[in-house]
């Protein structure tokens, strides 16, 4: 029996970051992972493979739509799908091997296999029981199922199957206009699929700024997306090569059927706790099936902690990473902290969509007086030069103190631009602080500064 200061279960962004930080802080650390490779959902079947396919398909889109205008003439590239999947796989491999390297470098033991927790202080993998002063559960999430929809990962797929289809489908039906549906829908729309998104609500990407939602949907329609909104999917019927999706329109309860070569089910994810033995251990769960933790990420069982997708909060890799670092610091007797008010969200479509902090809706609900500074990328010279003038930056600031409360960006490199606002928010900056900071020209970031200027005496280029 081996014994450790801490054993982490799961090697996704929550687990592997927690492991590295624990080791850096001098704790004897092991991480249990059941998959053949480290890195969890994110590196194996999530963030990284999806971004590789988004990148490759975006290159094709650029070649087909913008090259000629820039004087780059010639035949557009054709799609070698098998090679694109090889490229995606090599991206996964370098990243997962990178984590293996970091584990070795930090002297973290990788215990291979699926773990159960028979009692606090003990982790069982196969026939072996390992001892640990503390345990961190970082077992992540899995796709939520939808009644009447049977996933075979070939014709009716989750994101996992959608990342390695046998071929580019002619007709792709996406159930759910959330992050996965729109990112992976974008990949296939660019590669030539006819993409139809069936969404229960009347707006895409629930919870997002309504102006961003409308602009985003308009842009996606321009890229060939079709949307069936206010439609509740009732079920799917699949053969070996085709499927039918039945949905009911909420406005009149009428039933419709749509044909597809592939159906992507992207209606959310749920915490993955199967096989851990949490019931027996007596770990309290939330009503939504997440592991309940206190503000130090400790569960109701002393010495058992949980982080990442398996607990409450946005299911995002960077949120899991931050919790991993903070929980490690708590275990090492330091002060671990995550500022849940400043966790950015990014959708890696083209253009990108990013947000942080409050929305106008949440501020109205809280009765907080706010002002809006908005700037269109049409007024940004760099964006216009690269066909990226559609979109805007919106900054929300406190009406009296000018403190930045949130930001919503749709436009070029939105996923990078948002971090300037995140840092400003962490420092409790005002919109004026951002507006007074010199921004290099010509950069997209000038649009952020202009939105901050618009919170005060006005933007210059609008
Ligand atoms: P996970 O990454 O899910 O890792 C959990 C690990 O635990 C898994 O490897 C699993 O095998 C292992 N495990 C589970 N149970 C056991 C057990 N009993 N014993 C041993 N091992 C076990 N987020 C972003 O921030 N940006 C993105 O661009 C992004 N893109 C995404 C794209 C897709 C298609 C998907 C599906 C998700 C995406 N996400 C993205 C979400 C992101 O992947 C998750 O939020 C993140 O991976 C959660 O990290 P985690 O450490 O909590 O869990
Ligand atoms: P999601 O929660 O983003 O979107 C699900 C959508 O499905 C919602 O719009 C919902 O209204 C709709 N829906 C639910 N039931 C339906 C039904 N019966 N019929 C029609 N529509 C229905 O979930 P998604 O896209 O599956 O993503 C899961 C998680 O993965 C996200 O919460 C996100 O945190 C994470 N993720 C993050 C990414 C990023 O950060 N770029 C990329 C991909 C995933």
């Amino acid at each position: 029996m081996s014994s450790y200061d801490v054993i982490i279960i799961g090697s996704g962004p929550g687990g592997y970051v927690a492991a590295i930080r624990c080791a850096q802080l001098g704790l004897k650390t092991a991480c249990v992972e059941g998959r053949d490779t480290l890195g969890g959902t994110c590196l194996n079947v999530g963030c990284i493979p999806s971004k590789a396919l988004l990148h490759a398909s975006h290159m094709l889109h650029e070649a087909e739509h913008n090259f000629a205008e820039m004087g780059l003439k010639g035949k557009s590239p054709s799609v070698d799908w098998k090679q694109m999947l090889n490229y995606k796989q090599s991206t996964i491999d370098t990243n997962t091997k990178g984590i293996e390297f970091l584990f070795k470098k930090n002297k973290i033991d990788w215990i291979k296999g699926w773990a159960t927790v028979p009692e606090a202080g003990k982790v069982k993998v196969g026939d072996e029981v390992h001892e640990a002063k503390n345990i961190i559960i970082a077992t992540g999430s899995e796709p939520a199922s939808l009644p009447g929809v049977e996933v075979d990962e070939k014709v009716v797929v989750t994101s996992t199957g959608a990342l390695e289809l046998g071929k580019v489908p002619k007709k792709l039906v996406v159930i759910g206009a959330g992050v996965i549906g729109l990112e992976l829908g974008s990949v296939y729309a660019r590669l030539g699929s006819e993409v139809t998104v069936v969404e229960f609500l009347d707006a895409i990407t629930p919870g997002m700024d309504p102006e961003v939602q409308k602009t985003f949907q308009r842009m996606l329609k321009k890229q060939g997306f079709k949307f069936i909104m206010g439609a509740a999917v009732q079920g799917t019927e699949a053969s070996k090569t085709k499927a039918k999706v039945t949905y009911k329109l909420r406005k009149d309860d009428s039933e419709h059927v749509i044909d597809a070569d592939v159906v992507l089910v992207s209606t959310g994810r749920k915490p993955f706790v199967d096989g851990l033995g949490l019931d027996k251990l007596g770990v309290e769960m939330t009503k939504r099936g997440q592991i309940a933790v206190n503000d130090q990420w400790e569960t109701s069982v002393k010495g058992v902690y949980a982080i990442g997708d398996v607990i409450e909060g946005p299911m995002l890799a960077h949120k899991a990473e931050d919790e991993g670092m903070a929980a490690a610091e708590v275990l090492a007797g330091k002060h671990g902290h995550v500022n849940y008010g400043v966790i950015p969200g990014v959708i890696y479509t083209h253009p990108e969509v990013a947000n942080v902090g409050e929305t106008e809706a949440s501020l109205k609900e809280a009765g907080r007086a706010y002002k809006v500074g908005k700037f269109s990328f049409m007024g940004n010279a760099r964006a216009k030069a690269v066909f990226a003038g559609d979109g805007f930056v919106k900054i929300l600031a406190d009406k009296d103190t000018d403190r930045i409360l949130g930001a919503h960006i749709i436009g070029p490199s939105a996923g990078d631009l948002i971090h300037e606002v995140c840092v400003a928010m962490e420092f409790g900056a005002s919109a004026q602080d951002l507006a007074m900071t010199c921004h290099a020209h010509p950069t997209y970031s000038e649009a952020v500064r202009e939105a901050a200027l618009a919170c005060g005496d006005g933007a210059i280029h609008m």
Side-chain angles (χ1 to χ4, degrees):
M1 186 191 288
S2 43
S3 77
Y4 294 90
D5 291 319
V6 55
I7 295 182
I8 294 139
I9 306 176
S11 72
Y16 85 72
V17 168
I20 292 171
R21 187 51 115 218
C22 282
Q24 285 172 336
L25 295 174
L27 302 177
K28 189 175 179 222
T29 308
C31 180
V32 191
E33 175 55 61
R35 263 178 222 277
D36 293 339
T37 48
L38 299 172
T41 302
C42 176
L43 267 54
N44 289 282
V45 289
C47 324
I48 298 306
S50 59
K51 266 79 251 178
L53 292 182
L54 278 160
H55 174 68
S57 57
H58 177 59
M59 294 291 106
L60 177 70
H61 181 91
E62 286 292 285
E64 284 175 345
H65 293 86
N66 293 329
F67 273 20
E69 195 174 337
M70 291 185 284
L72 300 169
K73 300 244 160 117
K75 217 169 144 257
S76 301
S78 59
V79 178
D80 179 345
W81 177 236
K82 220 172 143 207
Q83 177 52 28
M84 204 179 280
L85 291 183
N86 288 342
Y87 151 69
K88 179 208 70 174
Q89 190 57 44
S90 67
T91 314
I92 296 172
D93 293 345
T94 31
N95 279 287
T96 56
K97 289 211 174 77
I99 307 298
E100 237 178 289
F101 164 78
L102 291 173
F103 271 23
K104 279 187 193 131
K105 182 182 163 204
N106 288 285
K107 302 192 172 37
I108 298 160
D109 287 347
W110 172 9
I111 303 173
K112 295 184 184 181
W114 298 97
T116 50
V117 187
E119 59 186 275
K122 291 203 165 48
V123 174
K124 189 165 184 261
V125 184
D127 294 332
E128 281 198 49
V129 178
H130 306 267
E131 276 188 345
K133 287 184 198 137
N134 290 294
I135 296 167
I136 302 179
I137 300 172
T139 48
S141 60
E142 61 176 344
S145 53
L146 198 58
V149 176
E150 205 175 307
V151 169
D152 59 20
E153 294 297 11
K154 294 233 160 3
V155 173
V156 182
V157 300
T158 66
S159 53
T160 303
L163 289 167
E164 48 185 35
L165 294 178
K167 60 178 184 198
V168 175
K170 243 175 124 188
K171 284 188 181 175
L172 173 69
V173 170
V174 174
I175 309 178
V179 205
I180 291 182
L182 300 182
E183 283 190 354
L184 292 178
S186 289
V187 168
Y188 288 104
R190 293 167 190 166
L191 297 179
S193 302
E194 189 186 295
V195 177
T196 306
V197 182
V198 186
E199 166 59 46
F200 180 77
L201 298 171
D202 297 322
I204 64 171
T205 54
M208 205 169 266
D209 177 88
E211 255 182 292
V212 171
Q213 286 176 327
K214 277 195 202 112
T215 308
F216 190 24
Q217 192 172 2
R218 171 177 59 72
M219 288 174 168
L220 290 171
K221 278 185 186 164
K222 231 169 118 188
Q223 292 169 25
F225 273 71
K226 288 194 183 124
F227 288 96
I228 301 170
M229 304 301 291
V233 167
Q234 306 296 302
T236 53
E237 217 177 279
S239 70
K240 270 191 174 159
T241 52
K242 297 240 177 274
K244 282 184 190 303
V245 179
T246 308
Y247 62 88
K248 262 189 184 175
L249 287 179
R250 286 196 295 127
K251 62 177 182 198
D252 56 11
D253 223 24
S254 58
E255 196 166 279
H256 305 260
V257 179
I258 178 169
D259 291 326
D261 298 305
V262 170
V263 180
L264 166 60
V265 189
S266 47
T267 51
R269 293 177 63 84
K270 59 174 190 197
F272 182 73
V273 291
D274 292 2
L276 283 169
L278 298 186
D279 259 6
K280 229 169 131 200
L281 190 63
V283 170
E284 261 174 43
M285 307 294 285
T286 69
K287 280 194 192 117
R288 301 182 60 198
Q290 301 140 326
I291 297 179
V293 293
N294 65 17
D295 60 3
Q296 300 291 284
W297 301 278
E298 194 168 23
T299 68
S300 56
V301 176
K302 209 171 156 26
V304 179
Y305 294 73
I307 56 168
D309 279 10
V310 83
I311 68 168
E312 211 184 324
M315 288 182 163
L316 296 172
H318 42 284
K319 177 258 191 189
E321 288 185 40
D322 280 20
E323 288 173 344
M325 258 191 287
E329 274 151 18
V330 167
L331 295 189
K334 297 171 85 114
H335 178 71
H337 176 71
V338 175
N339 181 358
Y340 287 102
V342 186
I343 294 185
V346 179
I347 308 181
Y348 299 83
T349 43
H350 193 77
E352 291 180 352
V353 181
N355 61 75
V356 66
E358 303 289 347
T359 59
E360 289 193 67
S362 66
L363 290 170
K364 276 182 192 141
E365 202 182 307
R368 189 159 183 187
Y370 66 94
K371 53 188 173 178
V372 180
K374 203 176 147 196
F375 187 79
S376 162
F377 279 101
M378 271 303 174
N380 180 274
R382 177 77 177 275
K384 273 193 296 194
V386 300
F387 315 104
D390 209 357
F392 59 84
V393 180
K394 187 195 249 190
I395 291 179
L396 307 175
D398 187 278
K399 193 154 193 197
D400 302 318
T401 65
D402 196 38
R403 187 180 176 139
I404 300 171
L405 302 172
H408 304 272
I409 308 178
I410 176 162
S413 298
D416 290 306
L417 295 181
I418 198 75
H419 294 95
E420 153 167 31
V421 185
C422 295
V423 174
M425 287 175 74
E426 283 289 355
F427 280 82
S430 64
Q432 196 183 15
D433 289 326
L434 237 178
M436 284 172 68
T437 306
C438 184
H439 285 62
H441 176 75
T443 59
Y444 305 134
S445 71
E446 288 172 286
V448 178
R449 182 195 199 179
E450 293 268 20
L453 278 164
C455 288
D457 293 333
I460 299 297
H461 294 90
M462 199 42 79

